[in-house]
């Protein structure tokens, strides 16, 4: 295994920093101790939250890799950092919904909690100035951020990911309500699942109590950041029980 040398900061987002390394094809992703919601409107320092998210997303990506899904994840380097294939992120958030919640519930005036007979896919244009608007395939192709062929490939992969992780979480008594994923293209133009999968990017409900096991109660002001930390710990604990 070659030794990774962390070099300059490549980019910084709300919860992660990306560093270039001595290998031009690999980056180091650092998870910050930052809890944000509502597109950064709520922003809090939360001690050691980066450790939890780094560990949770590592476990999920390792599992997806083992199931044959091509991801950017190579290996965990330390508590807060992981080594990943360098990709150009496609500026689209792919959302999968198994149960009605969140923005879909508000936008369509339907009650949260209705199970969908088949998953609903939505795409959002990653653009801070425009506040990540909901778009459709034709808008995305018009914007020249993706082709119809790539969209079709990604919807296929996304559907597989949903099947795999829905079952994975259910075995841990966690209902996967919805989630957001992102994809990138490596130097050979391979499409890789990138970014992260964590309680920051998913809605989880406890199978027995239906209690929310994600940051939704923080988004709505029902819970303080410290309580969110305990919830994330609970998710990690369940993932570690096989
Ligand atoms: P939504 O109901 O707010 O559209 O969110 C759907 C799912 O996507 C939910 O699990 C949270 C996740 N998500 C993100 O990870 N980042 C975002 O910026 C948004 C809007 C949603
Ligand atoms: N908009 C997202 C959310 O509310 C992400 C964020 O602001 O961190 O979860």
């Amino acid at each position: 295994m070659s030794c990774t040398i962390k070099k300059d900061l490549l980019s910084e987002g709300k919860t992660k920093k990306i560093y270039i390394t001595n290998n031009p094809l690999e980056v180091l992703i650092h998870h910050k101790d930052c809890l944000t919601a509502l597109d950064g409107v709520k922003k809090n320092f939360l001690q050691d939250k980066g450790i939890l998210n780094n560990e949770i997303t590592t476990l999920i990506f390792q599992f997806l890799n083992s199931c044959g899904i091509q991801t950017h994840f190579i290996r965990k380097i330390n508590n807060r950092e992981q080594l990943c294939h360098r990709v150009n992120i496609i500026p689209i958030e792919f959302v999968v919904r198994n149960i009605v919640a969140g923005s879909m519930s508000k936008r369509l005036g339907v009650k949260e909690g209705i199970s969908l007979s088949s998953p609903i896919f939505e795409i959002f244009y990653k653009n801070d100035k425009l506040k990540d608007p909901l778009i459709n395939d034709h808008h995305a192709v018009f914007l020249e951020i993706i082709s119809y062929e790539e969209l079709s490939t990604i919807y296929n992969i996304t559907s597989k990911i949903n099947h795999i992780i829905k079952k994975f979480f259910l075995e841990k008594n966690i209902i996967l309500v919805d989630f957001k994923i992102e994809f990138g293209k490596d130097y050979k133009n391979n499409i890789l699942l990138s970014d992260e999968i964590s309680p920051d990017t998913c809605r989880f409900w406890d199978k027995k109590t239906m209690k929310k096991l994600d940051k939704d109660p923080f988004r709505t002001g029902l819970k303080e950041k410290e309580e969110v930390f305990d919830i994330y710990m609970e998710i990690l604990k369940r993932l570690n029980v096989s």
Side-chain angles (χ1 to χ4, degrees):
M1 207 182 282
S2 62
C3 170
T4 301
I5 302 168
K6 180 171 161 182
K7 291 195 164 177
D8 297 340
L9 183 69
L10 181 67
S11 63
E12 180 165 0
K14 291 192 281 271
T15 58
K16 294 187 288 291
K17 284 181 188 174
I18 303 180
Y19 293 91
I20 50 175
T21 69
N22 50 320
N23 182 339
L25 300 181
E26 295 174 356
V27 290
L28 205 137
I29 299 185
H30 174 106
H31 288 262
K32 302 196 282 184
D33 286 342
C34 196
L35 180 71
T36 78
L38 312 170
D39 284 330
V41 172
K42 290 185 88 166
K43 205 171 168 192
N44 276 267
F45 171 78
L46 182 55
Q47 183 72 45
D48 293 343
K49 185 244 176 187
I51 297 180
L52 293 182
N53 264 25
N54 188 36
E55 185 60 24
I56 293 171
T57 195
T58 290
L59 291 170
I60 299 168
F61 272 68
Q62 275 173 341
F63 183 67
L64 285 168
N65 277 346
S66 76
C67 293
I69 300 292
Q70 285 196 296
T71 83
H72 72 159
F73 180 84
I74 302 173
R75 65 173 185 272
K76 189 177 148 188
I77 296 275
N78 59 41
N79 272 356
R80 285 190 171 76
E81 293 173 330
Q82 49 182 257
L83 188 67
C84 294
H85 296 293
R86 185 169 180 170
V87 294
N88 281 320
I89 289 285
I90 297 167
I92 294 177
E93 297 188 334
F94 291 84
V95 167
V96 180
R97 300 181 186 276
N98 295 308
I99 295 178
V100 175
S103 70
M104 178 178 163
S105 161
K106 286 199 198 84
R107 192 182 325 113
L108 302 182
V110 276
K111 257 174 97 178
E112 194 168 279
I114 299 171
S115 283
L116 297 160
S117 49
S118 50
I120 289 182
F121 292 3
E122 292 174 349
I123 58 172
F124 294 83
Y125 178 29
K126 263 170 77 79
N127 182 313
D128 284 340
K129 267 196 212 144
L130 300 176
K131 298 197 173 135
D132 301 350
L134 174 70
I135 56 172
N136 65 28
D137 291 9
H138 309 295
H139 296 135
V141 173
F142 164 74
L143 289 168
E144 296 182 351
I145 51 179
I146 200 162
S147 67
Y148 284 112
E149 203 190 340
E150 288 166 341
L151 275 167
S152 158
T153 303
I154 291 182
Y155 284 134
N156 269 323
I157 306 171
T158 299
S159 173
K160 279 190 195 138
I161 293 171
N162 185 37
H163 277 102
I164 295 168
I165 60 174
K166 210 166 77 172
K167 185 166 172 280
F168 175 75
F169 285 116
L170 206 55
E171 283 162 4
K172 286 128 190 5
N173 284 320
I174 298 166
I175 297 171
L176 178 62
V177 174
D178 57 31
F179 61 98
K180 181 270 297 180
I181 45 179
E182 296 183 23
F183 292 86
K185 288 195 248 179
D186 70 6
Y187 72 108
K188 281 187 185 162
N189 258 353
N190 292 315
I191 292 176
L192 307 184
L193 174 69
S194 303
D195 194 52
E196 67 176 288
I197 300 181
S198 72
D200 273 3
T201 62
C202 302
R203 281 197 180 89
F204 297 130
W205 293 350
D206 181 87
K207 192 176 164 234
K208 288 184 192 139
T209 63
M210 299 306 266
K211 187 184 150 201
K212 292 184 176 181
L213 298 175
D214 50 48
K215 70 172 178 182
D216 245 6
F218 172 73
R219 286 190 184 102
T220 50
L222 284 174
K223 282 212 183 339
E224 294 303 319
K225 59 180 184 173
E226 292 77 13
E227 296 173 276
V228 176
F229 187 86
D230 294 341
I231 290 174
Y232 283 33
M233 278 288 284
E234 172 66 24
I235 292 289
L236 181 56
K237 204 174 86 193
R238 293 199 198 184
L239 293 189
N240 276 323
V241 177
S242 50

